[in-house]
Amino acid sequence: MRFDLANVTTETAEPLIPPKPTLNKLRDAAADCRACPLWKVGTQTVFGEGPRTARIMFVGEVPGDYEDRTGKPFVGPAGKLLDRALEEIGLDRTTVYVTNVVKHFKWEPRGKRRLHKKPNAHEIRACRPWLNAEIAVVKPHAIVCLGATAAQALLGPQFRVTQHRGEWIDSPLAPRVMATVHPSSILRAPDDETRERETAAFIEDLRMLTEIANETAPPAEPG
Ligand code: URA
Ligand code: SF4
């Protein structure tokens, strides 16, 4: 751990994790996080949302403009697409836990718009203790990484979403871990036909989750 006494910043959020964490305690503590420079860039910490008993956890990259304004994850256009996909596979959004690898909006001005920027390795590392704590409290049966940033943060920098999307990957994080594309990438498709095709593929990747949502007991740990 490195403490920079000049700014009273720490290298990661680790020292801020409360003892015996609950989701409420974590959310309160994260609201004051200054473990990386993004606390000055975003308006507020956008913590994960969903029940402690959720069996399925979705992990995105970083909150966007809508999320920054409302303080809730995946409520903008990407969130709407996620909602639609969940509906298609018969999952109720209120039963899943939705969060991000990095919890402050990162952006740069582009005219009047606030253009989303990818978090860097330092920011991802600094913010990681929050996600680890969310996973430890919720203990999801399945984790779904949305896009390469989440997938590489959780499954390693060598992981390629294009090669392994929709597959269960062995991981100590949860009995089942999978990665698929980020819904924002679908929204950037060049034409309607591509967008519809990519949406259908996204829904297919998520279909394996339905059985997990309906399981009565947690699956055995792999290995
Ligand atoms: N994109 C993300 O990765 N997360 C959000 O919460 C919204 C958009
Ligand atoms: Fe803390 Fe994460 Fe926000 Fe950085 S992005 S200040 S680590 S909550």
Side-chain angles (χ1 to χ4, degrees):
M1 191 88 50
R2 181 174 62 82
F3 286 90
D4 179 348
L5 295 176
N7 298 312
V8 201
T9 56
T10 54
E11 210 176 338
T12 81
E14 190 65 46
L16 303 174
I17 305 295
K20 301 211 186 93
T22 62
L23 290 178
N24 283 338
K25 280 198 225 172
L26 286 168
R27 184 177 295 104
D28 285 352
D32 298 325
C33 183
R34 296 182 170 194
C36 85
L38 293 184
W39 70 272
K40 285 180 272 188
V41 178
T43 310
Q44 56 185 322
T45 307
V46 179
F47 204 68
E49 193 177 60
R52 183 187 56 77
T53 52
R55 291 178 180 181
I56 299 168
M57 178 181 286
F58 288 90
V59 183
E61 181 187 70
V62 63
D65 186 73
Y66 288 84
E67 291 76 20
D68 182 65
R69 292 168 199 270
T70 57
K72 292 170 181 288
F74 282 99
V75 292
K80 294 277 176 297
L81 181 51
L82 178 62
D83 289 349
R84 182 182 146 200
L86 292 180
E87 210 173 294
E88 290 273 345
I89 62 165
L91 276 190
D92 182 347
R93 162 94 186 238
T94 63
T95 66
V96 303
Y97 192 89
V98 180
T99 191
N100 285 296
V101 166
V102 166
K103 288 169 168 59
H104 267 96
F105 181 33
K106 185 175 183 184
W107 60 281
E108 61 186 12
R110 181 69 54 89
K112 286 189 180 147
R113 290 181 54 222
R114 302 192 297 170
L115 205 71
H116 156 274
K117 280 190 81 180
K118 272 192 184 304
N120 64 34
H122 167 73
E123 292 147 359
I124 292 170
R125 199 177 104 75
C127 211
R128 182 57 185 270
W130 296 120
L131 177 59
N132 288 349
E134 289 173 293
I135 294 171
V137 171
V138 175
K139 298 188 190 69
H141 297 195
I143 296 176
V144 182
C145 306
L146 297 172
T149 300
Q152 293 181 352
L154 269 66
L155 296 167
Q158 309 302 324
F159 187 87
R160 292 289 170 270
V161 173
T162 44
Q163 286 168 24
H164 296 291
R165 63 181 290 178
E167 296 175 15
W168 294 124
I169 310 293
D170 272 351
S171 161
L173 294 173
R176 295 193 182 96
V177 181
M178 170 212 300
T180 181
V181 295
H182 195 292
S184 295
S185 73
I186 300 174
L187 296 173
R188 287 194 300 268
D191 53 71
D192 288 350
E193 193 191 327
T194 314
R195 194 171 313 111
E196 280 311 307
R197 197 175 56 236
E198 289 184 12
T199 302
F202 179 60
I203 292 167
E204 275 324 298
D205 288 347
L206 299 186
R207 232 176 254 292
M208 294 198 292
L209 297 170
T210 317
E211 70 183 76
I212 292 168
N214 296 327
E215 274 167 1
T216 48
E221 297 280 344

